[in-house]
Short mmCIF file of all heavy atoms in Angstrom, two decimals:
data_model
loop_
_atom_site.label_atom_id
_atom_site.label_comp_id
_atom_site.label_asym_id
_atom_site.label_seq_id
_atom_site.Cartn_x
_atom_site.Cartn_y
_atom_site.Cartn_z
N GLY A 18 18.09 2.92 16.95
CA GLY A 18 17.80 4.05 16.08
C GLY A 18 18.56 3.98 14.76
O GLY A 18 19.27 3.02 14.48
N SER A 19 18.38 5.03 13.96
CA SER A 19 18.97 5.08 12.62
C SER A 19 19.70 6.39 12.38
O SER A 19 19.35 7.43 12.96
CB SER A 19 17.88 4.92 11.56
OG SER A 19 17.24 3.67 11.67
N LEU A 20 20.69 6.32 11.52
CA LEU A 20 21.39 7.51 11.03
C LEU A 20 21.75 7.26 9.58
O LEU A 20 21.94 6.10 9.17
CB LEU A 20 22.68 7.76 11.82
CG LEU A 20 22.62 8.40 13.19
CD1 LEU A 20 24.00 8.44 13.81
CD2 LEU A 20 22.02 9.80 13.13
N ARG A 21 21.86 8.33 8.82
CA ARG A 21 22.36 8.21 7.47
C ARG A 21 23.58 9.10 7.31
O ARG A 21 23.49 10.32 7.46
CB ARG A 21 21.32 8.58 6.42
CG ARG A 21 21.81 8.26 5.00
CD ARG A 21 20.79 8.51 3.93
NE ARG A 21 20.72 9.92 3.55
CZ ARG A 21 20.27 10.35 2.37
NH1 ARG A 21 19.85 9.48 1.48
NH2 ARG A 21 20.21 11.64 2.10
N LEU A 22 24.71 8.48 7.03
CA LEU A 22 25.93 9.22 6.78
C LEU A 22 26.04 9.53 5.29
O LEU A 22 25.63 8.74 4.45
CB LEU A 22 27.15 8.42 7.22
CG LEU A 22 27.18 7.95 8.67
CD1 LEU A 22 28.52 7.25 8.96
CD2 LEU A 22 26.95 9.08 9.63
N SER A 23 26.59 10.69 5.01
CA SER A 23 26.85 11.09 3.63
C SER A 23 28.33 11.38 3.47
O SER A 23 28.99 11.85 4.41
CB SER A 23 26.06 12.34 3.27
OG SER A 23 24.67 12.13 3.38
N CYS A 24 28.84 11.11 2.31
CA CYS A 24 30.22 11.44 1.98
C CYS A 24 30.21 12.13 0.62
O CYS A 24 29.95 11.49 -0.40
CB CYS A 24 31.09 10.19 1.93
SG CYS A 24 32.77 10.49 1.37
N ALA A 25 30.45 13.42 0.64
CA ALA A 25 30.42 14.21 -0.59
C ALA A 25 31.84 14.35 -1.14
O ALA A 25 32.76 14.72 -0.41
CB ALA A 25 29.83 15.58 -0.31
N ALA A 26 31.98 14.07 -2.41
CA ALA A 26 33.28 14.16 -3.07
C ALA A 26 33.31 15.38 -3.98
O ALA A 26 32.33 15.68 -4.66
CB ALA A 26 33.55 12.90 -3.88
N SER A 27 34.42 16.07 -3.98
CA SER A 27 34.59 17.22 -4.87
C SER A 27 36.02 17.22 -5.39
O SER A 27 36.89 16.51 -4.89
CB SER A 27 34.30 18.52 -4.13
OG SER A 27 35.19 18.69 -3.04
N GLY A 28 36.23 18.04 -6.41
CA GLY A 28 37.54 18.10 -7.02
C GLY A 28 37.57 17.26 -8.27
O GLY A 28 36.58 17.17 -8.99
N ARG A 29 38.66 16.61 -8.50
CA ARG A 29 38.81 15.79 -9.69
C ARG A 29 37.81 14.64 -9.66
O ARG A 29 37.60 14.03 -8.60
CB ARG A 29 40.22 15.24 -9.76
CG ARG A 29 40.51 14.42 -11.00
CD ARG A 29 41.94 13.91 -10.98
NE ARG A 29 42.21 13.02 -12.10
CZ ARG A 29 43.34 12.34 -12.25
NH1 ARG A 29 44.30 12.47 -11.35
NH2 ARG A 29 43.50 11.54 -13.27
N THR A 30 37.19 14.35 -10.76
CA THR A 30 36.22 13.26 -10.80
C THR A 30 36.79 12.10 -11.60
O THR A 30 37.68 12.28 -12.44
CB THR A 30 34.89 13.72 -11.44
OG1 THR A 30 35.16 14.21 -12.76
CG2 THR A 30 34.25 14.81 -10.60
N PHE A 31 36.28 10.93 -11.33
CA PHE A 31 36.72 9.72 -11.98
C PHE A 31 35.50 8.97 -12.49
O PHE A 31 34.43 9.03 -11.89
CB PHE A 31 37.50 8.84 -11.00
CG PHE A 31 38.75 9.48 -10.49
CD1 PHE A 31 38.69 10.34 -9.40
CD2 PHE A 31 39.96 9.26 -11.09
CE1 PHE A 31 39.83 10.96 -8.93
CE2 PHE A 31 41.10 9.86 -10.62
CZ PHE A 31 41.05 10.71 -9.54
N THR A 32 35.67 8.27 -13.56
CA THR A 32 34.53 7.55 -14.12
C THR A 32 34.37 6.18 -13.49
O THR A 32 33.33 5.55 -13.62
CB THR A 32 34.70 7.40 -15.64
OG1 THR A 32 35.94 6.74 -15.90
CG2 THR A 32 34.69 8.77 -16.30
N ARG A 33 35.38 5.71 -12.82
CA ARG A 33 35.30 4.38 -12.23
C ARG A 33 36.14 4.36 -10.96
O ARG A 33 37.34 4.60 -11.00
CB ARG A 33 35.83 3.38 -13.26
CG ARG A 33 36.03 1.99 -12.76
CD ARG A 33 36.49 1.11 -13.90
NE ARG A 33 37.38 0.08 -13.44
CZ ARG A 33 37.66 -1.01 -14.12
NH1 ARG A 33 37.15 -1.19 -15.30
NH2 ARG A 33 38.49 -1.90 -13.64
N TYR A 34 35.51 4.10 -9.84
CA TYR A 34 36.26 4.07 -8.58
C TYR A 34 35.46 3.37 -7.50
O TYR A 34 34.28 3.08 -7.66
CB TYR A 34 36.63 5.49 -8.14
CG TYR A 34 35.48 6.45 -8.02
CD1 TYR A 34 34.92 6.76 -6.79
CD2 TYR A 34 34.96 7.08 -9.15
CE1 TYR A 34 33.87 7.66 -6.69
CE2 TYR A 34 33.92 7.98 -9.05
CZ TYR A 34 33.39 8.27 -7.82
OH TYR A 34 32.35 9.15 -7.73
N GLY A 35 36.13 3.12 -6.41
CA GLY A 35 35.49 2.47 -5.27
C GLY A 35 35.44 3.40 -4.08
O GLY A 35 36.34 4.21 -3.88
N MET A 36 34.37 3.26 -3.31
CA MET A 36 34.21 4.06 -2.10
C MET A 36 33.97 3.13 -0.93
O MET A 36 33.15 2.22 -1.00
CB MET A 36 33.01 5.00 -2.24
CG MET A 36 33.18 6.04 -3.32
SD MET A 36 34.41 7.28 -2.90
CE MET A 36 33.61 8.12 -1.56
N GLY A 37 34.68 3.36 0.13
CA GLY A 37 34.52 2.52 1.31
C GLY A 37 34.20 3.34 2.54
O GLY A 37 34.51 4.53 2.62
N TRP A 38 33.54 2.69 3.48
CA TRP A 38 33.33 3.25 4.81
C TRP A 38 34.13 2.40 5.79
O TRP A 38 34.05 1.17 5.77
CB TRP A 38 31.86 3.23 5.20
CG TRP A 38 31.02 4.28 4.54
CD1 TRP A 38 30.25 4.12 3.43
CD2 TRP A 38 30.89 5.64 4.94
NE1 TRP A 38 29.63 5.31 3.12
CE2 TRP A 38 30.00 6.26 4.03
CE3 TRP A 38 31.42 6.41 5.97
CZ2 TRP A 38 29.64 7.60 4.11
CZ3 TRP A 38 31.04 7.75 6.07
CH2 TRP A 38 30.18 8.33 5.15
N VAL A 39 34.88 3.08 6.60
CA VAL A 39 35.74 2.44 7.60
C VAL A 39 35.46 3.14 8.92
O VAL A 39 35.18 4.34 8.94
CB VAL A 39 37.23 2.59 7.21
CG1 VAL A 39 38.14 2.03 8.28
CG2 VAL A 39 37.49 1.91 5.87
N ARG A 40 35.52 2.41 10.03
CA ARG A 40 35.28 3.05 11.32
C ARG A 40 36.38 2.70 12.31
O ARG A 40 37.06 1.68 12.17
CB ARG A 40 33.92 2.64 11.89
CG ARG A 40 33.82 1.18 12.30
CD ARG A 40 32.39 0.85 12.70
NE ARG A 40 32.26 -0.53 13.12
CZ ARG A 40 31.10 -1.12 13.43
NH1 ARG A 40 29.95 -0.42 13.34
NH2 ARG A 40 31.06 -2.37 13.81
N GLN A 41 36.53 3.58 13.29
CA GLN A 41 37.51 3.34 14.33
C GLN A 41 36.90 3.71 15.67
O GLN A 41 36.54 4.87 15.92
CB GLN A 41 38.78 4.16 14.10
CG GLN A 41 39.90 3.84 15.07
CD GLN A 41 41.23 4.39 14.64
OE1 GLN A 41 41.32 5.34 13.87
NE2 GLN A 41 42.30 3.79 15.13
N ALA A 42 36.79 2.70 16.52
CA ALA A 42 36.26 2.91 17.86
C ALA A 42 37.41 3.27 18.80
O ALA A 42 38.57 2.94 18.52
CB ALA A 42 35.57 1.64 18.34
N PRO A 43 37.11 3.90 19.92
CA PRO A 43 38.18 4.28 20.86
C PRO A 43 39.00 3.09 21.30
O PRO A 43 38.45 2.05 21.70
CB PRO A 43 37.40 4.88 22.04
CG PRO A 43 36.12 5.35 21.45
CD PRO A 43 35.79 4.37 20.36
N GLY A 44 40.31 3.20 21.18
CA GLY A 44 41.20 2.14 21.62
C GLY A 44 41.28 0.94 20.70
O GLY A 44 41.90 -0.06 21.05
N LYS A 45 40.63 1.03 19.54
CA LYS A 45 40.63 -0.10 18.61
C LYS A 45 41.20 0.31 17.26
O LYS A 45 41.31 1.49 16.95
CB LYS A 45 39.21 -0.63 18.43
CG LYS A 45 38.61 -1.22 19.69
CD LYS A 45 37.26 -1.86 19.39
CE LYS A 45 36.68 -2.51 20.63
NZ LYS A 45 35.35 -3.16 20.36
N GLU A 46 41.56 -0.68 16.48
CA GLU A 46 42.06 -0.41 15.14
C GLU A 46 40.90 -0.09 14.20
O GLU A 46 39.75 -0.45 14.46
CB GLU A 46 42.84 -1.63 14.62
CG GLU A 46 44.13 -1.90 15.38
CD GLU A 46 44.95 -3.00 14.73
OE1 GLU A 46 44.47 -3.61 13.78
OE2 GLU A 46 46.08 -3.23 15.20
N ARG A 47 41.24 0.57 13.11
CA ARG A 47 40.24 0.86 12.12
C ARG A 47 39.74 -0.44 11.51
O ARG A 47 40.52 -1.37 11.29
CB ARG A 47 40.86 1.77 11.04
CG ARG A 47 39.99 2.90 10.64
CD ARG A 47 40.70 4.11 10.11
NE ARG A 47 41.95 3.94 9.47
CZ ARG A 47 42.63 4.95 8.93
NH1 ARG A 47 42.10 6.16 8.99
NH2 ARG A 47 43.77 4.76 8.38
N GLU A 48 38.44 -0.48 11.22
CA GLU A 48 37.88 -1.70 10.64
C GLU A 48 36.96 -1.37 9.47
O GLU A 48 36.28 -0.33 9.45
CB GLU A 48 37.11 -2.51 11.69
CG GLU A 48 35.89 -1.83 12.25
CD GLU A 48 35.06 -2.75 13.15
OE1 GLU A 48 35.37 -3.94 13.25
OE2 GLU A 48 34.07 -2.25 13.72
N PHE A 49 36.92 -2.28 8.52
CA PHE A 49 36.06 -2.15 7.34
C PHE A 49 34.60 -2.21 7.75
O PHE A 49 34.22 -3.01 8.61
CB PHE A 49 36.40 -3.27 6.36
CG PHE A 49 35.37 -3.49 5.30
CD1 PHE A 49 35.28 -2.66 4.21
CD2 PHE A 49 34.48 -4.55 5.40
CE1 PHE A 49 34.34 -2.86 3.24
CE2 PHE A 49 33.53 -4.78 4.44
CZ PHE A 49 33.46 -3.93 3.34
N VAL A 50 33.79 -1.39 7.09
CA VAL A 50 32.35 -1.40 7.33
C VAL A 50 31.60 -1.80 6.06
O VAL A 50 30.81 -2.73 6.06
CB VAL A 50 31.85 -0.03 7.81
CG1 VAL A 50 30.33 -0.02 7.96
CG2 VAL A 50 32.51 0.36 9.13
N ALA A 51 31.83 -1.07 4.97
CA ALA A 51 31.11 -1.33 3.73
C ALA A 51 31.89 -0.74 2.56
O ALA A 51 32.70 0.17 2.73
CB ALA A 51 29.71 -0.73 3.78
#
């Protein structure tokens, strides 16, 4: 199946920045996704 995650940012804005998705499964370390 499919899901779409959203990440909404508010507050101070920046003209240039990076956004990452990271995940953590039970009992595991956090890992890079995208």
Side-chain angles (χ1 to χ4, degrees):
S19 298
L20 282 175
R21 188 176 81 156
L22 304 184
S23 299
C24 174
S27 61
R29 183 180 174 186
T30 58
F31 298 85
T32 57
R33 171 177 147 162
Y34 54 101
M36 295 290 292
W38 285 97
V39 176
R40 68 186 181 186
Q41 187 166 22
K45 295 186 178 181
E46 293 187 353
R47 225 154 28 178
E48 64 172 355
F49 164 78
V50 176

